[in-house]
Amino acid sequence: MTTTETERPQTVYALGHTPQEYARLRMQARAWEAATGRLLDQVGLGPGASCLDAGCGPGETMRAMAERVGPAGRVLGIDADPELGAKTLAMLHGAGHRHCSFQTKDLTTGEPIPGAPFDLVYARLLLFHLPQRAEVLARLWDAVAPGGYLLVQDYDLRSISTLPDLDWVGELLRVLTGAFDAVGADVSAGTRLPQLFAQAGAGTPDGTDVAGRVEPLVSGRIIMEGAFRSVLPIALAHGVTTEAAAAATLASITRDVMRFPDRPMLWPLLIGAWKRKDRS
Ligand SMILES: C[S@@+](CC[C@H](N)C(=O)[O-])C[C@H]1O[C@@H](n2cnc3c(N)ncnc32)[C@H](O)[C@@H]1O
């Protein structure tokens, strides 16, 4: 791990904490439900297991874990956002998953992970945001029980595209990349997962997985336009774009959705990697 990674100041979360962003996260989580469920099954998550969802957000993966481990198991969600955490726990308990709990915690602080060790430690779309991603991943690896799994899924934004290309897609990607870069996020964190596992001391992943979604522009753009709107305050603050340029991009999206609603749009790739810890 480099010195810069450990000395960086406190992380800024570029997507923010608005009700619109919470709704976008829920929609995004449902879109990836099958891609994540497939990997939970791949690592054999079953009744009685203990799980951690690091950066659990709206808790949709906690729900998938809770269904698999049943009441004999336990599911802990950790997130730096207490308001979102409270909503997540209310949703899970409302659905009858009383074996789920939540703790507010900034995972970059260097403290040990509460409740460890776990049979499964999972993180989706978390490391992407953290300048200290290798350091945090090392602590998540430490929280895996002998014989348990570390499983991570993260984006590579470079795949965002339409066919044929539309002129605003490049600008959307430029603004997203500029805003995330400005706060030390890594828009290709998914592709870098094998390197990150090695840097974190977990070694080479036992397996990797690439999930994608192609949707008509009319529905496919909702998540991407939402992300653009969510990072806009950071993009403006760092001079990545201007109010006028952002308004023009949003107007182009609206125009093209009406002109080309069926044009295929490829989402960011969601890349997974997992590693089992030796029993000894
Ligand atoms: C893009 S969301 C993903 C949420 C969820 N994992 C999912 O895939 O639906 C990232 C989550 O990480 C949380 N987060 C960001 N920085 C964090 C930190 N330093 N410590 C703990 N959680 C953090 C955010 O609050 C947010 O809920």
Side-chain angles (χ1 to χ4, degrees), residues 17 22 25 51-63 65-66 74-93 97-107 113-115 118 126:
H17 306 279
Y22 291 165
L25 284 181
C51 311
L52 169 68
D53 186 3
C56 61
E60 291 297 323
T61 305
M62 289 177 71
R63 185 212 298 267
M65 290 170 165
R74 69 181 168 106
V75 179
L76 172 65
I78 290 180
D79 202 285
D81 182 339
E83 191 187 330
L84 184 54
K87 289 181 197 298
T88 289
L89 201 57
M91 178 277 285
L92 291 165
H93 285 184
H97 300 306
R98 306 294 306 186
H99 50 309
C100 291
S101 58
F102 173 79
Q103 284 201 28
T104 304
K105 184 171 168 58
D106 177 349
L107 287 159
I113 305 291
F118 299 90
L126 169 74

Side-chain angles (χ1 to χ4, degrees), residues 81-161:
D81 182 339
E83 191 187 330
L84 184 54
K87 289 181 197 298
T88 289
L89 201 57
M91 178 277 285
L92 291 165
H93 285 184
H97 300 306
R98 306 294 306 186
H99 50 309
C100 291
S101 58
F102 173 79
Q103 284 201 28
T104 304
K105 184 171 168 58
D106 177 349
L107 287 159
T108 66
T109 57
E111 291 161 21
I113 305 291
F118 299 90
D119 299 316
L120 173 65
V121 172
Y122 174 81
R124 185 175 71 188
L125 306 177
L126 169 74
L127 298 176
F128 178 105
H129 294 280
L130 306 180
Q132 315 84 337
R133 54 193 72 83
E135 191 186 315
V136 171
L137 189 61
R139 275 201 301 285
L140 295 181
W141 178 240
D142 284 347
V144 176
Y149 280 91
L150 174 65
L151 170 61
V152 179
Q153 289 182 292
D154 233 312
Y155 272 158
D156 191 328
L157 294 196
R158 290 174 301 163
S159 59
I160 298 174
S161 53

Side-chain angles (χ1 to χ4, degrees), residues 14-15 125-131 133 153-160 172-193 196 224 227 231 234 240 267-271:
L15 289 166
L125 306 177
L126 169 74
L127 298 176
F128 178 105
H129 294 280
L130 306 180
R133 54 193 72 83
Q153 289 182 292
D154 233 312
Y155 272 158
D156 191 328
L157 294 196
R158 290 174 301 163
S159 59
I160 298 174
L172 178 121
L173 195 48
R174 189 192 70 77
V175 171
L176 288 176
T177 303
F180 283 126
D181 280 356
V183 296
D186 178 0
V187 298
S188 300
T191 303
R192 259 191 263 277
L193 283 177
L196 276 174
M224 302 312 137
V231 301
I234 294 283
V240 175
W267 277 35
L269 298 179
L270 183 67
I271 299 176

